[in-house]
Amino acid sequence: MTTQKNSDVLILGGGPAGYSCALRASQLGLSVTLIEADRLGGTCLHRGCIPTKALLHTAEVADTTRAAVDVGVRARFDGVDMAAAQAYKNAVVTRLHRGLEGLVTSRKVTVVTGTGRYLGGRRVEVDGAVLSGDAVVLATGSTPRQVPELAFGGRILRSDEALELTDVPRTALVVGGGVIGVEFASLWTSLGSSVTVVESLPRLLAGEDAWASDILQRTLRGRGVTVRTGITITGATQTEDGVTVGTEDGDTMTAEVVLVAAGREPRSQALAEAGIAVHRGFVRVDARLESNHPGVYAIGDLVAGHQLAHRGFAHGIFVAEVIAGRDPVPVTEHLIPRITYSHPEVASVGLTETAARAEYGEVTTTVYGLSGNGRSQILRTSGGIKVIRRGPADADGPVVGIHCVGDRVGELIGEAQLIVGWEATPADVRPHLHAHPTQNEALGEALLAMSGAPLHTHS
């Protein structure tokens, strides 16, 4: 096979990390070739973030319709037309995909469609042709993690298949209580399913603050979701009508479908075979996201940390600027905002209380409940805002973590990120007004209380 110099930057993978790297590198005057086996946008656009949130919006409308009479609207919930819901979801994805294709074309990025295989030496083979670049960026993403006791197939689903269901399952068992599992449990419950969530760890969303997990679990149970934590699955048997799952304690559970939501694992096996150093499947990188092969970088889900599209965007931009000879600011892992789009939502940035105490020793926390927030009352949501500050109660240390639970609280995370990222103190934030009536006020109220000047907080 003949090797041809293709571009300044050769990118393997066209998901959020890969295409953001391509767009930024092109802006910086570099020639770019982007290799993608499927469609631009990757898992996020076609089998993850966007289609999941589209169906979650369908679920939100279903819940709103059920409660319409409570706010004076004469409406009746008659069920969900999944064919129409799928059409709506697919239309959203199609519009975004076309927009992305146009954007990439306008930036003069060369897109090669085909399955790429990294060969080493800044070379990638695509369908028999070998391409090379001055720099290679590995952005091959991740895939649903397999559980040996629950082989995919039939009624045992990955999130990919769950997104394409044309009927609402009457009963569903979700194995895994992380973000994916919680979102599908919430979605199916809103659409009319009877859902059980099984998690091997002691609580759902184990990476979030325990306070947030506790509120989420109680709210899901109040919605009718069965939550079983500390449970280990030992095997499963399928029939024409459903799946029976066994547990370590000898119990069994039966459901029409089982969703395996045990997280995602990086697509790195072929990279390891080509000599790229990996640890537990993740590519080993330095502070510049460069691998053990000089001039070869890894970004997005290939790198250990939060597997989030916006982290991939940040990685892609960072590496493009590194390759262009700039000195960009590295991505700070704990400052990456995190949102679980369930009902209620969970949103956070910074450290949990446990992590903050381990890092700093003494910390101060304040919780402001959404029951005191006018907009939340109008939206009929409960939950709260928890703020974690470094230092004792009589000090004014910087805010190191903000955690939110409640419908639509994901929209608060922008200000929360700035507060934590800029190491603001409650006194720094106190003079800044929060519009009334908004849920954003709840964040302001929590910081007012922490600064010693509460307004709508009972003393």
Side-chain angles (χ1 to χ4, degrees), residues 170-376:
R170 288 169 294 135
T171 56
L173 176 63
V174 177
V175 179
V179 174
I180 296 171
V182 166
E183 287 186 348
F184 270 98
S186 181
L187 164 67
W188 281 336
T189 297
S190 296
L191 297 183
S193 298
S194 175
V195 181
T196 298
V197 181
V198 176
E199 168 58 52
S200 60
L201 295 175
R203 58 186 174 91
L204 302 183
L205 299 185
E208 295 290 348
D209 192 87
W211 167 85
S213 292
D214 181 59
I215 294 177
L216 174 70
Q217 288 183 192
R218 283 190 280 111
T219 307
L220 288 179
R221 284 178 171 133
R223 295 181 58 204
V225 178
T226 299
V227 178
R228 300 186 61 185
T229 56
I231 300 294
T232 301
I233 300 298
T234 57
T237 304
Q238 292 199 52
T239 67
E240 289 185 4
D241 300 320
V243 185
T244 298
V245 172
T247 65
E248 196 172 49
D249 58 6
D251 194 11
T252 60
M253 293 170 282
T254 300
E256 189 175 312
V257 297
V258 172
L259 170 64
V260 181
R264 299 182 64 85
E265 55 190 7
R267 290 192 179 99
S268 61
Q269 183 175 345
L271 303 177
E273 292 170 355
I276 294 291
V278 301
H279 177 64
R280 295 184 177 178
F282 295 101
V283 175
R284 290 184 178 272
V285 293
D286 61 16
R288 291 159 41 94
L289 298 182
E290 191 170 16
S291 73
N292 62 311
H293 288 195
V296 179
Y297 303 83
I299 57 178
D301 286 2
L302 281 178
V303 180
H306 297 298
Q307 293 177 311
L308 299 167
H310 45 285
R311 176 178 180 258
F313 293 144
H315 276 182
I317 293 167
F318 175 83
V319 163
E321 296 190 354
V322 167
I323 294 169
R326 299 198 171 195
D327 188 25
V329 177
V331 178
T332 303
E333 198 73 21
H334 82 279
L335 295 182
I336 298 170
R338 308 171 294 275
I339 305 173
T340 301
Y341 291 87
S342 50
H343 170 33
E345 290 183 353
V346 177
S348 64
V349 64
L351 302 176
T352 64
E353 182 176 348
T354 299
R357 291 190 185 281
E359 179 76 16
Y360 301 116
E362 191 168 7
V363 300
T364 302
T365 67
T366 292
V367 173
Y368 182 81
L370 293 186
S371 61
N373 176 260
R375 183 64 174 163
S376 297

Side-chain angles (χ1 to χ4, degrees), residues 29-99:
L30 301 172
S31 61
V32 182
T33 297
L34 179 63
I35 302 165
E36 171 55 46
D38 191 6
R39 293 169 289 176
L40 286 178
T43 294
C44 172
L45 177 53
H46 300 285
R47 297 176 300 280
C49 311
I50 299 302
T52 304
K53 278 57 180 181
L55 289 180
L56 280 163
H57 181 60
T58 295
E60 181 184 16
V61 173
D63 287 330
T64 301
T65 305
R66 288 188 184 94
V69 67
D70 297 335
V71 296
V73 177
R74 293 173 181 169
R76 184 177 64 196
F77 179 74
D78 286 334
V80 177
D81 181 346
M82 279 305 295
Q86 289 289 355
Y88 157 71
K89 177 205 76 177
N90 293 337
V92 172
V93 171
T94 297
R95 286 194 299 271
L96 290 171
H97 180 231
R98 287 173 179 167

